[in-house]
Short mmCIF file of all heavy atoms in Angstrom, two decimals:
data_model
loop_
_atom_site.label_atom_id
_atom_site.label_comp_id
_atom_site.label_asym_id
_atom_site.label_seq_id
_atom_site.Cartn_x
_atom_site.Cartn_y
_atom_site.Cartn_z
N MET A 1 9.86 -34.48 -18.51
CA MET A 1 10.12 -33.13 -18.20
C MET A 1 10.23 -32.40 -19.60
O MET A 1 10.97 -32.87 -20.41
CB MET A 1 11.44 -33.03 -17.39
CG MET A 1 11.95 -31.62 -17.18
SD MET A 1 13.35 -31.59 -16.13
CE MET A 1 14.38 -32.86 -16.66
N LYS A 2 9.54 -31.26 -19.72
CA LYS A 2 9.63 -30.54 -20.95
C LYS A 2 10.94 -29.76 -21.06
O LYS A 2 11.57 -29.31 -20.05
CB LYS A 2 8.48 -29.54 -20.97
CG LYS A 2 7.11 -30.21 -21.25
CD LYS A 2 6.00 -29.26 -21.04
CE LYS A 2 6.08 -28.08 -22.04
NZ LYS A 2 4.92 -27.16 -22.00
N GLU A 3 11.47 -29.63 -22.25
CA GLU A 3 12.72 -28.85 -22.51
C GLU A 3 12.33 -27.37 -22.63
O GLU A 3 12.39 -26.85 -23.66
CB GLU A 3 13.28 -29.28 -23.86
CG GLU A 3 14.22 -30.46 -23.80
CD GLU A 3 15.46 -30.29 -22.92
OE1 GLU A 3 16.26 -29.44 -23.20
OE2 GLU A 3 15.59 -31.01 -22.02
N THR A 4 12.03 -26.76 -21.54
CA THR A 4 11.80 -25.28 -21.54
C THR A 4 13.06 -24.52 -21.43
O THR A 4 14.17 -25.12 -21.33
CB THR A 4 10.88 -24.93 -20.27
OG1 THR A 4 11.69 -25.19 -19.09
CG2 THR A 4 9.61 -25.71 -20.30
N ARG A 5 13.00 -23.27 -21.64
CA ARG A 5 14.15 -22.35 -21.59
C ARG A 5 14.94 -22.50 -20.30
O ARG A 5 16.14 -22.57 -20.28
CB ARG A 5 13.68 -20.94 -21.83
CG ARG A 5 14.78 -19.89 -22.12
CD ARG A 5 14.22 -18.65 -22.40
NE ARG A 5 13.23 -18.24 -21.34
CZ ARG A 5 12.73 -17.02 -21.15
NH1 ARG A 5 13.12 -16.08 -21.87
NH2 ARG A 5 11.82 -16.85 -20.15
N ILE A 6 14.22 -22.56 -19.21
CA ILE A 6 14.92 -22.67 -17.89
C ILE A 6 15.59 -23.93 -17.72
O ILE A 6 16.69 -24.13 -17.20
CB ILE A 6 13.82 -22.33 -16.75
CG1 ILE A 6 13.46 -20.91 -16.81
CG2 ILE A 6 14.48 -22.73 -15.36
CD1 ILE A 6 12.45 -20.52 -15.70
N VAL A 7 14.95 -24.99 -18.21
CA VAL A 7 15.57 -26.42 -18.10
C VAL A 7 16.75 -26.51 -18.88
O VAL A 7 17.83 -27.01 -18.48
CB VAL A 7 14.54 -27.50 -18.53
CG1 VAL A 7 15.17 -28.80 -18.64
CG2 VAL A 7 13.37 -27.59 -17.53
N LYS A 8 16.83 -25.86 -20.12
CA LYS A 8 17.95 -25.89 -20.94
C LYS A 8 19.09 -25.06 -20.27
O LYS A 8 20.22 -25.45 -20.35
CB LYS A 8 17.65 -25.26 -22.31
CG LYS A 8 16.85 -26.16 -23.17
CD LYS A 8 16.58 -25.47 -24.57
CE LYS A 8 15.67 -26.26 -25.45
NZ LYS A 8 15.34 -25.62 -26.75
N TYR A 9 18.67 -23.95 -19.59
CA TYR A 9 19.72 -23.13 -18.93
C TYR A 9 20.36 -23.95 -17.74
O TYR A 9 21.54 -23.87 -17.56
CB TYR A 9 18.95 -21.92 -18.40
CG TYR A 9 19.85 -21.04 -17.64
CD1 TYR A 9 20.89 -20.25 -18.21
CD2 TYR A 9 19.61 -20.81 -16.25
CE1 TYR A 9 21.75 -19.36 -17.48
CE2 TYR A 9 20.38 -19.90 -15.56
CZ TYR A 9 21.47 -19.20 -16.14
OH TYR A 9 22.39 -18.36 -15.38
N ILE A 10 19.52 -24.62 -17.02
CA ILE A 10 20.03 -25.39 -15.84
C ILE A 10 20.94 -26.52 -16.38
O ILE A 10 21.98 -26.72 -15.83
CB ILE A 10 18.83 -26.08 -15.04
CG1 ILE A 10 18.00 -24.90 -14.40
CG2 ILE A 10 19.36 -27.02 -14.00
CD1 ILE A 10 16.70 -25.41 -13.78
N LYS A 11 20.60 -27.15 -17.42
CA LYS A 11 21.45 -28.18 -17.97
C LYS A 11 22.75 -27.65 -18.51
O LYS A 11 23.83 -28.23 -18.27
CB LYS A 11 20.75 -29.02 -19.12
CG LYS A 11 19.68 -29.93 -18.67
CD LYS A 11 19.06 -30.68 -19.84
CE LYS A 11 18.08 -31.66 -19.39
NZ LYS A 11 17.41 -32.39 -20.55
N SER A 12 22.75 -26.49 -19.07
CA SER A 12 23.92 -25.87 -19.57
C SER A 12 24.85 -25.52 -18.41
O SER A 12 26.06 -25.70 -18.46
CB SER A 12 23.65 -24.73 -20.44
OG SER A 12 23.22 -23.59 -19.72
N ILE A 13 24.31 -24.98 -17.27
CA ILE A 13 25.12 -24.74 -16.10
C ILE A 13 25.74 -26.01 -15.62
O ILE A 13 26.97 -25.99 -15.31
CB ILE A 13 24.20 -24.11 -15.02
CG1 ILE A 13 23.74 -22.72 -15.48
CG2 ILE A 13 24.97 -24.05 -13.73
CD1 ILE A 13 22.72 -22.07 -14.49
N ILE A 14 24.97 -27.10 -15.52
CA ILE A 14 25.50 -28.35 -14.96
C ILE A 14 26.63 -28.91 -15.91
O ILE A 14 27.61 -29.35 -15.43
CB ILE A 14 24.35 -29.38 -14.81
CG1 ILE A 14 23.43 -28.89 -13.68
CG2 ILE A 14 24.90 -30.71 -14.40
CD1 ILE A 14 22.15 -29.63 -13.67
N ARG A 15 26.38 -28.69 -17.21
CA ARG A 15 27.42 -29.27 -18.16
C ARG A 15 28.63 -28.33 -18.11
O ARG A 15 29.82 -28.94 -18.12
CB ARG A 15 26.86 -29.16 -19.56
CG ARG A 15 26.03 -30.24 -19.97
CD ARG A 15 25.62 -30.30 -21.51
NE ARG A 15 24.52 -31.03 -21.73
CZ ARG A 15 23.35 -30.58 -21.94
NH1 ARG A 15 23.08 -29.28 -22.07
NH2 ARG A 15 22.26 -31.41 -22.18
N ASN A 16 28.61 -27.09 -18.02
CA ASN A 16 29.71 -26.21 -18.18
C ASN A 16 30.51 -25.93 -16.96
O ASN A 16 31.70 -25.54 -17.00
CB ASN A 16 29.29 -24.87 -18.87
CG ASN A 16 28.77 -25.14 -20.29
OD1 ASN A 16 29.19 -26.03 -20.87
ND2 ASN A 16 27.74 -24.33 -20.63
N HIS A 17 29.87 -26.04 -15.78
CA HIS A 17 30.51 -25.72 -14.49
C HIS A 17 30.56 -27.01 -13.67
O HIS A 17 29.54 -27.56 -13.35
CB HIS A 17 29.79 -24.62 -13.72
CG HIS A 17 29.65 -23.34 -14.52
ND1 HIS A 17 30.64 -22.47 -14.66
CD2 HIS A 17 28.61 -22.88 -15.24
CE1 HIS A 17 30.26 -21.49 -15.42
NE2 HIS A 17 28.99 -21.70 -15.78
N LYS A 18 31.79 -27.49 -13.39
CA LYS A 18 31.92 -28.79 -12.82
C LYS A 18 31.23 -28.93 -11.48
O LYS A 18 30.51 -29.86 -11.19
CB LYS A 18 33.35 -29.06 -12.80
CG LYS A 18 33.63 -30.65 -12.76
CD LYS A 18 34.95 -30.93 -13.16
CE LYS A 18 35.13 -32.41 -13.53
NZ LYS A 18 36.38 -32.76 -14.17
N TYR A 19 31.50 -27.93 -10.60
CA TYR A 19 31.09 -27.99 -9.27
C TYR A 19 30.11 -26.86 -8.95
O TYR A 19 30.57 -25.85 -8.58
CB TYR A 19 32.23 -27.93 -8.26
CG TYR A 19 33.22 -29.01 -8.44
CD1 TYR A 19 34.48 -28.77 -9.05
CD2 TYR A 19 32.93 -30.32 -8.23
CE1 TYR A 19 35.42 -29.74 -9.25
CE2 TYR A 19 33.86 -31.34 -8.42
CZ TYR A 19 35.10 -31.06 -8.98
OH TYR A 19 35.98 -32.03 -9.25
N THR A 20 28.83 -27.05 -9.17
CA THR A 20 27.85 -26.17 -8.74
C THR A 20 26.86 -26.77 -7.89
O THR A 20 26.33 -27.85 -8.22
CB THR A 20 27.07 -25.49 -10.02
OG1 THR A 20 26.69 -26.62 -10.83
CG2 THR A 20 27.99 -24.63 -10.81
N THR A 21 26.48 -26.11 -6.78
CA THR A 21 25.54 -26.70 -5.81
C THR A 21 24.13 -26.29 -6.38
O THR A 21 24.09 -25.40 -7.19
CB THR A 21 25.79 -26.21 -4.43
OG1 THR A 21 25.69 -24.75 -4.50
CG2 THR A 21 27.14 -26.57 -3.90
N THR A 22 23.14 -26.94 -5.86
CA THR A 22 21.80 -26.63 -6.13
C THR A 22 21.56 -25.08 -5.76
O THR A 22 20.85 -24.41 -6.45
CB THR A 22 20.86 -27.54 -5.33
OG1 THR A 22 21.17 -28.80 -5.73
CG2 THR A 22 19.41 -27.28 -5.78
N GLU A 23 22.13 -24.62 -4.61
CA GLU A 23 21.85 -23.28 -4.21
C GLU A 23 22.48 -22.27 -5.04
O GLU A 23 21.86 -21.22 -5.37
CB GLU A 23 22.41 -23.07 -2.72
CG GLU A 23 21.54 -23.66 -1.59
CD GLU A 23 21.55 -25.16 -1.58
OE1 GLU A 23 22.56 -25.82 -2.06
OE2 GLU A 23 20.52 -25.74 -1.20
N ASP A 24 23.61 -22.59 -5.62
CA ASP A 24 24.27 -21.71 -6.65
C ASP A 24 23.34 -21.51 -7.88
O ASP A 24 23.06 -20.42 -8.35
CB ASP A 24 25.59 -22.25 -7.07
CG ASP A 24 26.68 -22.24 -6.03
OD1 ASP A 24 26.51 -21.49 -5.09
OD2 ASP A 24 27.62 -23.03 -6.12
N ILE A 25 22.83 -22.72 -8.31
CA ILE A 25 21.84 -22.65 -9.47
C ILE A 25 20.65 -21.85 -9.14
O ILE A 25 20.09 -21.03 -9.99
CB ILE A 25 21.55 -24.11 -10.01
CG1 ILE A 25 22.85 -24.76 -10.48
CG2 ILE A 25 20.54 -24.03 -11.09
CD1 ILE A 25 22.66 -26.19 -10.82
N MET A 26 20.07 -22.05 -7.97
CA MET A 26 18.89 -21.23 -7.56
C MET A 26 19.15 -19.78 -7.52
O MET A 26 18.34 -18.99 -8.00
CB MET A 26 18.58 -21.67 -6.11
CG MET A 26 18.07 -23.05 -5.92
SD MET A 26 16.40 -23.24 -6.45
CE MET A 26 16.06 -24.77 -5.77
N LEU A 27 20.36 -19.38 -7.02
CA LEU A 27 20.71 -17.93 -7.08
C LEU A 27 20.79 -17.44 -8.52
O LEU A 27 20.38 -16.22 -8.74
CB LEU A 27 22.03 -17.71 -6.30
CG LEU A 27 22.00 -17.91 -4.79
CD1 LEU A 27 23.38 -17.89 -4.27
CD2 LEU A 27 21.07 -16.91 -4.15
N LEU A 28 21.30 -18.13 -9.45
CA LEU A 28 21.41 -17.70 -10.86
C LEU A 28 20.02 -17.63 -11.43
O LEU A 28 19.67 -16.59 -12.17
CB LEU A 28 22.25 -18.74 -11.64
CG LEU A 28 23.76 -18.68 -11.38
CD1 LEU A 28 24.47 -19.93 -12.01
CD2 LEU A 28 24.27 -17.44 -11.85
N LEU A 29 19.12 -18.52 -11.11
CA LEU A 29 17.72 -18.46 -11.61
C LEU A 29 17.11 -17.30 -10.99
O LEU A 29 16.27 -16.60 -11.75
CB LEU A 29 16.95 -19.79 -11.15
CG LEU A 29 17.34 -21.04 -11.88
CD1 LEU A 29 16.57 -22.20 -11.31
CD2 LEU A 29 17.08 -20.89 -13.41
N GLU A 30 17.33 -16.95 -9.73
CA GLU A 30 16.66 -15.82 -9.14
C GLU A 30 17.19 -14.49 -9.85
O GLU A 30 16.37 -13.64 -10.11
CB GLU A 30 17.03 -15.82 -7.65
CG GLU A 30 16.29 -14.71 -6.91
CD GLU A 30 16.51 -14.81 -5.37
OE1 GLU A 30 17.66 -15.21 -5.06
OE2 GLU A 30 15.58 -14.55 -4.60
N ARG A 31 18.43 -14.48 -10.15
CA ARG A 31 19.00 -13.25 -10.66
C ARG A 31 18.59 -13.03 -12.08
O ARG A 31 18.16 -11.96 -12.56
CB ARG A 31 20.57 -13.32 -10.73
CG ARG A 31 21.18 -12.11 -11.30
CD ARG A 31 22.65 -12.13 -11.39
NE ARG A 31 23.26 -12.35 -10.00
CZ ARG A 31 24.48 -12.84 -9.86
NH1 ARG A 31 25.17 -13.23 -10.91
NH2 ARG A 31 24.98 -12.96 -8.68
N TYR A 32 18.70 -14.06 -12.97
CA TYR A 32 18.49 -13.98 -14.42
C TYR A 32 17.00 -14.18 -14.88
O TYR A 32 16.59 -13.73 -15.87
CB TYR A 32 19.32 -14.82 -15.25
CG TYR A 32 20.75 -14.43 -15.10
CD1 TYR A 32 21.75 -15.36 -14.50
CD2 TYR A 32 21.19 -13.21 -15.37
CE1 TYR A 32 23.04 -14.90 -14.35
CE2 TYR A 32 22.57 -12.78 -15.28
CZ TYR A 32 23.38 -13.69 -14.78
OH TYR A 32 24.70 -13.33 -14.50
N TYR A 33 16.22 -15.01 -14.10
CA TYR A 33 14.83 -15.25 -14.52
C TYR A 33 13.84 -14.63 -13.58
O TYR A 33 12.59 -14.75 -13.76
CB TYR A 33 14.59 -16.76 -14.63
CG TYR A 33 15.21 -17.27 -15.93
CD1 TYR A 33 16.50 -17.89 -15.83
CD2 TYR A 33 14.58 -17.15 -17.07
CE1 TYR A 33 17.12 -18.43 -17.00
CE2 TYR A 33 15.17 -17.70 -18.31
CZ TYR A 33 16.40 -18.29 -18.26
OH TYR A 33 16.98 -18.72 -19.34
N GLY A 34 14.26 -14.05 -12.47
CA GLY A 34 13.34 -13.40 -11.48
C GLY A 34 12.48 -14.34 -10.76
O GLY A 34 11.39 -13.97 -10.34
N LEU A 35 12.93 -15.52 -10.55
CA LEU A 35 12.14 -16.52 -9.76
C LEU A 35 12.18 -16.17 -8.28
O LEU A 35 13.16 -15.93 -7.68
CB LEU A 35 12.64 -17.86 -9.89
CG LEU A 35 12.46 -18.53 -11.37
CD1 LEU A 35 13.19 -19.87 -11.41
CD2 LEU A 35 11.14 -18.61 -11.76
N PRO A 36 11.00 -16.23 -7.66
CA PRO A 36 10.93 -15.98 -6.17
C PRO A 36 11.37 -17.22 -5.41
O PRO A 36 10.53 -17.94 -4.82
CB PRO A 36 9.40 -15.57 -5.89
CG PRO A 36 8.75 -16.31 -6.94
CD PRO A 36 9.64 -16.42 -8.25
N ILE A 37 12.70 -17.35 -5.28
CA ILE A 37 13.20 -18.58 -4.66
C ILE A 37 12.89 -18.56 -3.11
O ILE A 37 12.93 -19.70 -2.56
CB ILE A 37 14.76 -18.67 -4.87
CG1 ILE A 37 14.97 -18.85 -6.36
CG2 ILE A 37 15.37 -19.73 -4.12
CD1 ILE A 37 14.36 -20.02 -7.03
N LYS A 38 12.65 -17.48 -2.48
CA LYS A 38 12.33 -17.42 -1.08
C LYS A 38 11.01 -18.08 -0.83
O LYS A 38 10.77 -18.47 0.33
CB LYS A 38 12.19 -15.91 -0.62
CG LYS A 38 13.39 -15.16 -0.97
CD LYS A 38 14.43 -15.16 0.17
CE LYS A 38 15.54 -14.26 -0.06
NZ LYS A 38 16.52 -14.59 -1.03
N VAL A 39 10.13 -18.22 -1.75
CA VAL A 39 8.75 -18.92 -1.61
C VAL A 39 9.08 -20.48 -1.54
O VAL A 39 9.75 -20.97 -2.52
CB VAL A 39 7.84 -18.65 -2.71
CG1 VAL A 39 6.53 -19.30 -2.54
CG2 VAL A 39 7.62 -17.12 -2.86
N PRO A 40 8.68 -21.16 -0.52
CA PRO A 40 9.01 -22.59 -0.34
C PRO A 40 8.51 -23.43 -1.49
O PRO A 40 9.25 -24.34 -1.94
CB PRO A 40 8.36 -22.96 0.97
CG PRO A 40 8.20 -21.73 1.76
CD PRO A 40 8.05 -20.64 0.67
N SER A 41 7.26 -23.24 -2.09
CA SER A 41 6.78 -24.07 -3.08
C SER A 41 7.66 -23.91 -4.37
O SER A 41 7.91 -24.90 -5.07
CB SER A 41 5.36 -23.73 -3.45
OG SER A 41 5.24 -22.35 -3.81
N VAL A 42 8.19 -22.65 -4.66
CA VAL A 42 8.95 -22.47 -5.91
C VAL A 42 10.32 -23.10 -5.70
O VAL A 42 10.84 -23.78 -6.52
CB VAL A 42 9.14 -20.85 -6.14
CG1 VAL A 42 10.10 -20.71 -7.20
CG2 VAL A 42 7.74 -20.38 -6.48
N TYR A 43 10.86 -22.99 -4.43
CA TYR A 43 12.11 -23.55 -4.14
C TYR A 43 12.15 -25.13 -4.25
O TYR A 43 13.05 -25.59 -4.97
CB TYR A 43 12.52 -23.18 -2.57
CG TYR A 43 13.75 -23.83 -2.14
CD1 TYR A 43 15.06 -23.31 -2.51
CD2 TYR A 43 13.80 -25.03 -1.48
CE1 TYR A 43 16.22 -23.81 -2.14
CE2 TYR A 43 15.01 -25.65 -1.05
CZ TYR A 43 16.21 -25.04 -1.34
OH TYR A 43 17.40 -25.53 -0.92
N TYR A 44 11.14 -25.81 -3.72
CA TYR A 44 11.14 -27.22 -3.82
C TYR A 44 10.86 -27.67 -5.19
O TYR A 44 11.33 -28.71 -5.73
CB TYR A 44 10.14 -27.77 -2.80
CG TYR A 44 10.70 -27.67 -1.38
CD1 TYR A 44 10.07 -26.82 -0.48
CD2 TYR A 44 11.87 -28.34 -0.98
CE1 TYR A 44 10.58 -26.67 0.83
CE2 TYR A 44 12.42 -28.16 0.31
CZ TYR A 44 11.76 -27.32 1.18
OH TYR A 44 12.21 -27.24 2.43
N LYS A 45 10.06 -26.92 -5.94
CA LYS A 45 9.76 -27.33 -7.36
C LYS A 45 11.03 -27.21 -8.12
O LYS A 45 11.30 -28.31 -8.85
CB LYS A 45 8.72 -26.33 -7.92
CG LYS A 45 8.38 -26.61 -9.37
CD LYS A 45 7.44 -25.50 -9.94
CE LYS A 45 7.31 -25.79 -11.42
NZ LYS A 45 6.55 -24.68 -12.03
N TYR A 46 11.73 -26.25 -8.01
CA TYR A 46 12.98 -26.11 -8.83
C TYR A 46 14.09 -26.95 -8.26
O TYR A 46 15.00 -27.40 -9.05
CB TYR A 46 13.42 -24.64 -9.04
CG TYR A 46 12.55 -24.04 -10.04
CD1 TYR A 46 11.50 -23.27 -9.76
CD2 TYR A 46 12.92 -24.15 -11.42
CE1 TYR A 46 10.65 -22.65 -10.74
CE2 TYR A 46 12.13 -23.63 -12.46
CZ TYR A 46 11.02 -22.82 -12.11
OH TYR A 46 10.27 -22.36 -13.11
N LYS A 47 14.03 -27.32 -6.98
CA LYS A 47 15.04 -28.26 -6.53
C LYS A 47 14.86 -29.58 -7.18
O LYS A 47 15.81 -30.30 -7.57
CB LYS A 47 14.85 -28.32 -4.95
CG LYS A 47 15.93 -29.12 -4.30
CD LYS A 47 15.72 -29.05 -2.73
CE LYS A 47 16.92 -29.84 -2.15
NZ LYS A 47 16.70 -29.84 -0.64
N ALA A 48 13.62 -29.97 -7.31
CA ALA A 48 13.30 -31.28 -8.01
C ALA A 48 13.78 -31.22 -9.44
O ALA A 48 14.23 -32.18 -10.00
CB ALA A 48 11.76 -31.60 -7.84
N ILE A 49 13.45 -30.14 -10.12
CA ILE A 49 13.77 -29.91 -11.56
C ILE A 49 15.38 -30.02 -11.67
O ILE A 49 15.77 -30.66 -12.63
CB ILE A 49 13.27 -28.68 -12.12
CG1 ILE A 49 11.72 -28.72 -12.24
CG2 ILE A 49 13.88 -28.35 -13.47
CD1 ILE A 49 11.05 -27.46 -12.61
N ILE A 50 16.12 -29.35 -10.82
CA ILE A 50 17.56 -29.45 -10.88
C ILE A 50 18.06 -30.85 -10.65
O ILE A 50 19.03 -31.23 -11.42
CB ILE A 50 18.16 -28.43 -9.86
CG1 ILE A 50 17.92 -26.97 -10.26
CG2 ILE A 50 19.72 -28.67 -9.71
CD1 ILE A 50 18.23 -25.96 -9.24
N ARG A 51 17.34 -31.50 -9.80
CA ARG A 51 17.83 -32.93 -9.61
C ARG A 51 17.66 -33.73 -10.80
O ARG A 51 18.54 -34.55 -11.24
CB ARG A 51 17.00 -33.52 -8.37
CG ARG A 51 17.78 -34.60 -7.67
CD ARG A 51 17.04 -35.01 -6.43
NE ARG A 51 16.81 -36.41 -6.49
CZ ARG A 51 15.62 -36.98 -6.84
NH1 ARG A 51 14.59 -36.27 -7.02
NH2 ARG A 51 15.57 -38.30 -6.90
N GLN A 52 16.49 -33.55 -11.49
CA GLN A 52 16.19 -34.25 -12.75
C GLN A 52 17.15 -33.97 -13.77
O GLN A 52 17.63 -34.82 -14.59
CB GLN A 52 14.81 -34.07 -13.19
CG GLN A 52 13.72 -34.74 -12.29
CD GLN A 52 12.26 -34.32 -12.71
OE1 GLN A 52 12.15 -33.33 -13.51
NE2 GLN A 52 11.39 -34.98 -12.22
N CYS A 53 17.50 -32.68 -13.89
CA CYS A 53 18.41 -32.17 -14.91
C CYS A 53 19.81 -32.81 -14.68
O CYS A 53 20.44 -33.22 -15.58
CB CYS A 53 18.51 -30.67 -14.92
SG CYS A 53 17.10 -29.87 -15.55
N ARG A 54 20.29 -32.77 -13.46
CA ARG A 54 21.55 -33.46 -13.07
C ARG A 54 21.65 -34.96 -13.53
O ARG A 54 22.55 -35.37 -14.14
CB ARG A 54 21.75 -33.39 -11.64
CG ARG A 54 22.82 -32.44 -11.15
CD ARG A 54 23.07 -32.60 -9.70
NE ARG A 54 22.95 -31.23 -9.04
CZ ARG A 54 23.80 -30.27 -9.06
NH1 ARG A 54 24.84 -30.51 -9.80
NH2 ARG A 54 23.63 -29.10 -8.48
N GLN A 55 20.44 -35.64 -13.28
CA GLN A 55 20.40 -37.03 -13.70
C GLN A 55 20.55 -37.24 -15.16
O GLN A 55 21.32 -38.10 -15.59
CB GLN A 55 19.15 -37.68 -13.15
CG GLN A 55 19.19 -37.94 -11.62
CD GLN A 55 17.79 -38.41 -11.18
OE1 GLN A 55 16.85 -38.50 -11.95
NE2 GLN A 55 17.70 -38.94 -9.95
N THR A 56 19.86 -36.43 -15.95
CA THR A 56 19.95 -36.56 -17.37
C THR A 56 21.32 -36.27 -17.86
O THR A 56 21.87 -36.81 -18.83
CB THR A 56 18.84 -35.73 -18.10
OG1 THR A 56 18.95 -34.37 -17.73
CG2 THR A 56 17.41 -36.27 -17.72
N VAL A 57 21.88 -35.08 -17.33
CA VAL A 57 23.24 -34.72 -17.82
C VAL A 57 24.27 -35.77 -17.45
O VAL A 57 25.03 -36.05 -18.34
CB VAL A 57 23.63 -33.33 -17.24
CG1 VAL A 57 25.12 -32.99 -17.45
CG2 VAL A 57 22.72 -32.19 -17.82
N TYR A 58 24.17 -36.28 -16.27
CA TYR A 58 25.15 -37.34 -15.93
C TYR A 58 24.98 -38.62 -16.74
O TYR A 58 25.90 -39.31 -17.11
CB TYR A 58 25.09 -37.69 -14.38
CG TYR A 58 25.47 -36.56 -13.56
CD1 TYR A 58 25.18 -36.61 -12.17
CD2 TYR A 58 26.15 -35.47 -14.01
CE1 TYR A 58 25.58 -35.60 -11.25
CE2 TYR A 58 26.55 -34.42 -13.11
CZ TYR A 58 26.23 -34.45 -11.73
OH TYR A 58 26.61 -33.48 -10.91
N LYS A 59 23.72 -38.89 -17.09
CA LYS A 59 23.42 -40.04 -17.93
C LYS A 59 24.09 -39.83 -19.36
O LYS A 59 24.68 -40.76 -19.95
CB LYS A 59 21.92 -40.26 -18.04
CG LYS A 59 21.57 -41.63 -18.66
CD LYS A 59 20.04 -41.77 -18.68
CE LYS A 59 19.39 -41.72 -17.21
NZ LYS A 59 17.94 -41.86 -17.20
N GLU A 60 24.00 -38.58 -19.86
CA GLU A 60 24.62 -38.29 -21.13
C GLU A 60 26.15 -38.42 -21.10
O GLU A 60 26.74 -38.97 -22.03
CB GLU A 60 24.28 -36.78 -21.55
CG GLU A 60 22.88 -36.54 -21.93
CD GLU A 60 22.56 -35.09 -22.10
OE1 GLU A 60 23.53 -34.19 -21.94
OE2 GLU A 60 21.39 -34.76 -22.22
N ARG A 61 26.71 -37.95 -19.95
CA ARG A 61 28.13 -38.11 -19.84
C ARG A 61 28.60 -39.61 -19.83
O ARG A 61 29.53 -39.94 -20.46
CB ARG A 61 28.66 -37.56 -18.46
CG ARG A 61 28.74 -36.01 -18.47
CD ARG A 61 29.26 -35.52 -17.25
NE ARG A 61 29.14 -34.14 -17.02
CZ ARG A 61 29.29 -33.49 -15.91
NH1 ARG A 61 29.69 -34.20 -14.76
NH2 ARG A 61 29.16 -32.19 -15.75
N ARG A 62 27.82 -40.38 -19.14
CA ARG A 62 28.12 -41.80 -19.04
C ARG A 62 28.07 -42.50 -20.40
O ARG A 62 28.93 -43.19 -20.86
CB ARG A 62 27.27 -42.60 -18.07
CG ARG A 62 27.63 -42.41 -16.68
CD ARG A 62 26.99 -43.37 -15.84
NE ARG A 62 25.54 -43.46 -15.90
CZ ARG A 62 24.64 -42.68 -15.17
NH1 ARG A 62 25.13 -41.88 -14.35
NH2 ARG A 62 23.38 -42.78 -15.34
N LYS A 63 27.02 -42.12 -21.27
CA LYS A 63 26.87 -42.60 -22.61
C LYS A 63 28.06 -42.20 -23.51
O LYS A 63 28.63 -43.01 -24.22
CB LYS A 63 25.57 -42.12 -23.18
CG LYS A 63 24.37 -42.95 -22.81
CD LYS A 63 23.05 -42.43 -23.51
CE LYS A 63 21.82 -43.08 -22.99
NZ LYS A 63 20.67 -42.50 -23.66
N LYS A 64 28.43 -40.92 -23.37
CA LYS A 64 29.48 -40.39 -24.12
C LYS A 64 30.87 -41.09 -23.78
O LYS A 64 31.65 -41.44 -24.64
CB LYS A 64 29.65 -38.90 -23.91
CG LYS A 64 30.56 -38.21 -24.99
CD LYS A 64 30.73 -36.78 -24.67
CE LYS A 64 29.47 -35.98 -24.76
NZ LYS A 64 29.70 -34.58 -24.49
N ARG A 65 31.08 -41.43 -22.59
CA ARG A 65 32.25 -41.99 -22.09
C ARG A 65 32.35 -43.51 -22.41
O ARG A 65 33.49 -43.97 -22.80
CB ARG A 65 32.31 -41.90 -20.61
CG ARG A 65 33.71 -42.32 -20.01
CD ARG A 65 33.77 -42.20 -18.51
NE ARG A 65 32.79 -43.11 -17.86
CZ ARG A 65 32.02 -42.86 -16.76
NH1 ARG A 65 32.26 -41.76 -16.13
NH2 ARG A 65 31.16 -43.68 -16.30
N ASP A 66 31.20 -44.14 -22.44
CA ASP A 66 31.18 -45.55 -22.78
C ASP A 66 31.32 -45.82 -24.24
O ASP A 66 31.80 -46.88 -24.64
CB ASP A 66 29.90 -46.21 -22.30
CG ASP A 66 29.85 -46.26 -20.79
OD1 ASP A 66 30.87 -46.16 -20.19
OD2 ASP A 66 28.66 -46.37 -20.16
N VAL A 67 30.96 -44.91 -25.07
CA VAL A 67 31.04 -45.11 -26.56
C VAL A 67 32.45 -45.02 -27.11
O VAL A 67 33.44 -44.89 -26.63
CB VAL A 67 30.18 -44.00 -27.25
CG1 VAL A 67 30.42 -44.19 -28.79
CG2 VAL A 67 28.75 -44.31 -26.99
#
């Protein structure tokens, strides 16, 4: 996954806000980046991206905690 501006934004949301659902992140993307979340293909694409971002952020947390 490329470190694009949107991916960095999603990761920062996941890092800084403890409890955010995927839908909350989608609404923020729609507001600040103008993504058409109502379109199913866009929704599912970004749902997968958010899932991957969550996995990488959680992996970073585990590494930081174990060290």
Side-chain angles (χ1 to χ4, degrees):
M1 175 173 44
K2 287 172 59 177
E3 273 300 299
T4 60
R5 189 176 52 165
I6 293 179
V7 170
K8 287 180 184 176
Y9 179 67
I10 293 170
K11 284 183 179 181
S12 71
I13 292 172
I14 295 169
R15 278 188 199 106
N16 297 327
H17 302 283
K18 204 161 197 166
Y19 303 108
T20 49
T21 62
T22 303
E23 282 71 29
D24 293 339
I25 296 172
M26 293 281 195
L27 291 172
L28 290 170
L29 289 175
E30 188 174 34
R31 181 185 299 158
Y32 295 118
Y33 286 97
L35 292 175
I37 297 301
K38 305 269 187 287
V39 179
S41 61
V42 174
Y43 176 83
Y44 289 113
K45 176 184 176 189
Y46 280 95
K47 189 174 180 181
I49 290 173
I50 291 170
R51 211 173 120 257
Q52 290 174 344
C53 289
R54 250 185 234 286
Q55 288 175 348
T56 56
V57 169
Y58 292 168
K59 198 178 292 181
E60 290 169 7
R61 280 187 196 166
R62 279 195 306 273
K63 279 183 184 175
K64 192 185 297 183
R65 190 180 60 214
D66 291 340
V67 170

